[in-house]
């Protein structure tokens, strides 16, 4: 891969004549970047598509090519891309339905609004992968018919299709009223009984660890049930019987559903598998009493998921914030807090409450300014990136709390060039601050030059247009390919350097 030319292909300042030259030498990697250029003309798109076959599909997805520009025989990937983007072309659909390459028929099967004769052809395809792909995306009528397909893999796909009729989904959970499946991917390839080992030594094997068949296609049936339990169209009455199922994966699939009776949620809250309880904790359908019970659950990820539940009571959330690693994120319940709740949280004696509300970026000026002087560093880290804070306020945060808040201060959209320069000179240095400065629109050349010393900030700084042109040119020979690409994509790279880098034929 030529990282310099890939970077140039993405450079917004690359003149049109250099884009033309780059198209002439483009390989698949360079073409991928060229296809995403906003200024790529239709004429350039046509030339690129004719030179690099893969790019035709990318250009079709980007809306740069139409059916008039594409030969479906010579450019099948592009034609299929347009079909997937809701382009109505029955002739193309019929062409690909008879394509000898199953990958193209499989791709076609996922396309919307296919002619009925094409759907029938795909439903009778000799390759089960094509039929399964159709089953995953097709209409209710076709899905209902495919639920009785002799191959279990097709039924698994039907169970995942949200357009499948509810009664059919219920039948797939129990296999009642359906003819027995005759085959699955396991018994297609292996003599039964067979269990696929976790560390399979065969390089050409695509079975999953634990896939098994003793003649009943049990692993595929299990996966079909899991898909149906996750499908919101499956009737509630059909799924509740799985609350005590011996498979934790099936109980886990239940925990995220929002249509279960409260007594079923109560049973899931006592499940011995922490993953089930964690998914339940994040479910917005559970009631207040159950939320409070789960707040004391120390199982893996239960309390963190509960904190992200939009219905968690504020008092519970504040307790969780004091004991759980939630992360620097605006939680749904805080985002939905009323003005009165925001004021109450901001004045709370609990630092955790103030920290949570400080993540909002729409705080009234008075509340924002009060939180900006909070004595707790965790609160300052949450408020430091809030827009509208002045340079003196941001400098005061650094003076009070030092390295604990510098990176967050550097991420403030209103941080001034002078402040950013000072942050890069801070002793001891803060590595995360270099990364924030390197991506900041107000960063200056001197500040960016210091950011180059940090390995993770270096590619970010190399792409920043405020970096000195001479330094950008020097970075084109860097040992890190990410830095090279970033420098080549920098719009401040001198035009003469760009011209010298693009080969002439």
């Amino acid at each position: 891969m030529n990282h310099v030319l890939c970077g140039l292909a993405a450079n917004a300042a690359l003149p049109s004549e250099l884009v033309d030259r780059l198209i002439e030498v483009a390989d698949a990697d360079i073409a991928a970047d060229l296809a995403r250029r906003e200024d790529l003309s239709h004429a350039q798109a046509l030339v690129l598509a004719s030179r690099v076959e893969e790019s035709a599909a990318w250009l079709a997805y980007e809306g740069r090519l139409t059916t008039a520009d594409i030969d479906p025989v010579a450019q099948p990937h592009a034609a299929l891309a347009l079909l997937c983007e809701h382009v109505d072309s029955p002739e193309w659909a019929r062409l690909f339905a008879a394509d000898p390459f199953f990958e193209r028929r499989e791709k076609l099967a996922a396309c919307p609004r296919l002619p009925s004769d094409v759907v029938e052809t795909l439903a009778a395809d000799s390759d089960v992968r094509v039929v399964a792909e159709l089953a995953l995306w097709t209409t209710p009528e076709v899905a209902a018919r495919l639920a009785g397909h002799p191959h279990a893999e097709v039924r698994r796909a039907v169970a995942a299709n949200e357009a499948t009729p509810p009664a059919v989904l219920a039948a797939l959970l129990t296999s009642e009223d359906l003819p027995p499946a005759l085959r699955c991917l396991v018994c297609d390839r292996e003599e039964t009984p067979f269990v696929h080992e976790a560390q399979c030594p065969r390089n050409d094997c695509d079975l999953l660890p634990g896939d098994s068949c003793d003649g009943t296609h049990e692993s595929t049936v299990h996966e079909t049930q899991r898909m149906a339990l996750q499908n919101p169209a499956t009737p509630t009455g059909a799924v509740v019987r799985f609350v005590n199922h011996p498979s934790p994966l099936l109980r886990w699939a239940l925990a995220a559903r929002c249509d279960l009776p409260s007594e079923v949620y109560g049973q899931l809250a006592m499940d011995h598998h922490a993953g089930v309880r964690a998914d339940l904790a994040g479910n917005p359908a559970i009631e207040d009493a159950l939320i409070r019970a789960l707040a004391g659950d120390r199982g893996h990820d239960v309390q963190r998921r509960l904190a992200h539940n939009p219905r968690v009571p504020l008092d519970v959330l504040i307790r969780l914030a004091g004991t759980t690693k939630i992360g620097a994120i605006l939680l749904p319940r805080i985002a939905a807090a009323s003005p009165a709740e925001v004021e109450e949280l901001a004045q709370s004696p609990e630092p955790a409450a103030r920290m949570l509300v400080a993540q909002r970026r729409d705080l009234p000026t008075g509340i924002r300014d009060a939180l900006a002087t909070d004595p707790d560093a965790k609160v300052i880290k949450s408020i430091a990136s809030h827009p509208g804070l002045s340079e003196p306020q941001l400098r005061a945060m650094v003076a009070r709390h030092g390295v604990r808040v510098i990176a967050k201060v550097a991420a403030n959209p209103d941080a001034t060039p002078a402040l950013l320069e000072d942050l890069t000179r801070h002793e001891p240095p803060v590595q995360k601050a270099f990364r924030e400065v390197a991506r900041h629109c107000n960063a200056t050349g001197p500040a960016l030059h210091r950011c180059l010393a940090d390995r993770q900030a270096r590619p970010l700084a190399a792409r920043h247009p405020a970096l000195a042109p001479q330094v950008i040119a020097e970075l084109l020979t860097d040992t890190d390919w990410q830095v090279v690409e970033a420098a080549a994509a920098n719009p401040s790279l001198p035009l003469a350097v760009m011209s010298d880098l693009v080969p002439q034929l």
Side-chain angles (χ1 to χ4, degrees):
M1 181 185 293
N2 189 320
H3 296 291
V4 169
L5 295 186
C6 284
L8 280 177
N11 193 317
L14 192 71
S16 182
E17 58 270 19
L18 292 185
V19 172
D20 289 336
R21 279 167 50 185
L22 205 50
I23 289 173
E24 292 302 316
V25 299
D27 58 14
D29 297 313
I30 297 169
D33 288 302
L34 286 170
R36 291 191 288 267
R37 291 187 64 88
E38 293 184 3
D39 62 350
L40 195 73
S41 69
H42 184 246
Q44 289 172 326
L46 289 175
V47 175
L48 183 61
S50 67
R51 283 210 67 260
V52 183
E53 182 183 354
E54 297 94 330
S55 71
W58 303 326
L59 290 162
Y61 280 123
E62 294 288 332
R64 305 297 180 88
L65 298 177
T66 67
T67 53
D69 302 320
I70 293 172
D71 178 351
V73 176
Q75 300 165 305
H77 298 297
L80 283 167
L82 286 178
L83 286 173
C84 288
E85 291 297 299
H86 303 271
V87 171
D88 189 16
S89 180
E91 298 80 11
W92 285 8
R94 294 185 181 100
L95 174 70
F96 288 116
D99 196 290
F101 293 98
F102 92 86
E103 294 92 348
R104 295 175 186 168
R105 304 196 307 276
E106 185 180 33
K107 182 79 171 178
L108 175 68
C111 294
R113 298 199 307 269
L114 293 173
S116 58
D117 60 308
V118 171
V119 172
E120 292 303 316
T121 300
L122 295 172
D125 199 281
S126 59
D127 194 307
V128 68
R129 291 168 292 188
V130 176
V131 187
E133 190 68 17
L134 177 70
L136 185 61
W137 304 105
T138 194
T139 61
E141 296 76 19
V142 177
R145 179 154 51 91
L146 290 177
H149 195 277
H151 204 288
E153 186 66 15
V154 175
R155 301 183 184 206
R156 183 202 62 78
V158 172
N161 187 341
E162 294 187 13
T164 300
V168 175
L169 290 167
L172 286 167
L173 278 174
T174 61
S175 298
E176 294 174 2
D177 302 322
L178 293 174
L182 303 179
R183 305 188 309 280
C184 69
L185 293 180
V186 179
C187 60
D188 277 349
R189 307 171 195 186
E190 307 289 345
E191 289 188 15
T192 58
F194 176 84
V195 178
H196 189 234
E197 57 186 288
Q199 303 297 327
C200 181
R202 294 176 295 179
N203 294 329
D204 61 343
C205 181
D206 57 1
L207 292 176
L208 297 175
D211 278 355
S212 62
C213 181
D214 61 3
T216 63
H217 325 297
E218 63 270 17
S219 64
T220 309
V221 169
H222 180 274
E223 189 64 8
T224 299
Q225 292 174 322
R226 190 173 74 87
M227 292 295 101
L229 290 172
Q230 289 180 335
N231 195 324
T234 305
T236 303
V239 304
V240 294
R241 70 186 70 176
F242 285 81
V243 68
N244 293 315
H245 196 279
S247 169
L249 289 178
L250 299 188
R251 303 196 306 274
W252 205 331
L254 275 181
R257 291 187 66 102
C258 295
D259 59 346
L260 303 181
S262 58
E263 58 269 21
V264 173
Y265 289 132
Q267 287 180 265
L268 292 170
M270 295 184 289
D271 198 284
H272 67 270
H273 196 291
V276 175
R277 305 196 308 276
D279 268 21
L280 181 67
N283 191 328
I286 62 175
E287 297 176 350
D288 186 86
L290 193 54
I291 290 176
R292 293 183 181 277
L294 287 169
D297 190 326
R298 304 293 294 178
H300 175 68
D301 214 31
V302 174
Q303 292 180 328
R304 188 192 67 82
R305 293 292 302 276
L306 190 64
H308 286 76
N309 191 314
R311 292 187 58 188
V312 61
L314 284 179
D315 63 306
V316 173
L317 183 54
I318 292 169
R319 291 201 307 273
L320 291 172
T323 59
T324 308
K325 289 186 177 180
I326 296 174
I329 186 172
L330 177 61
L331 296 173
R333 179 62 182 88
I334 299 299
S338 67
E341 289 173 329
V342 167
E343 186 170 356
E344 180 183 352
L345 288 166
Q347 296 176 357
S348 171
E350 294 292 333
R354 306 195 303 274
M355 176 188 69
L356 291 174
V357 76
Q359 286 290 345
R360 286 185 57 147
R361 295 296 175 256
D362 60 348
L363 295 173
T365 302
I367 291 177
R368 180 203 65 198
D369 290 347
L371 291 171
T373 62
D374 199 281
D376 194 291
K378 295 190 296 296
V379 179
I380 296 300
K381 286 177 69 175
S382 290
I383 197 67
S385 300
H386 197 294
L389 291 170
S390 67
E391 181 173 355
Q393 286 175 307
L394 294 174
R395 288 187 180 276
M397 294 177 185
V398 175
R400 271 197 312 273
H401 301 285
V403 296
R404 291 176 291 178
V405 302
I406 284 178
K408 296 297 185 181
V409 169
N412 190 291
D414 298 316
T416 64
L419 174 58
L420 294 173
E421 285 195 24
D422 288 345
L423 295 179
T424 61
R425 287 192 288 259
H426 190 275
E427 290 294 338
V430 178
Q431 304 307 313
K432 287 184 179 180
F434 288 127
R435 296 162 217 163
E436 296 295 346
V437 172
R439 60 169 63 96
H440 202 292
C441 62
N442 292 337
T444 63
L448 292 166
H449 197 274
R450 283 187 284 274
C451 291
L452 291 172
D454 180 75
R455 181 179 59 83
Q456 295 185 48
R458 192 174 177 85
L460 300 170
R463 189 179 288 268
H464 200 294
L467 193 63
Q470 179 183 351
V471 176
I472 300 170
E474 292 171 355
L475 292 173
L476 293 171
T477 59
D478 199 87
T479 56
D480 185 338
W481 68 266
Q482 296 179 88
V483 175
V484 172
E485 275 200 19
N490 194 317
S492 295
L493 185 67
L495 178 58
V497 176
M498 292 186 192
S499 184
D500 289 342
L501 291 171
V502 181
Q504 288 187 337
L505 299 181

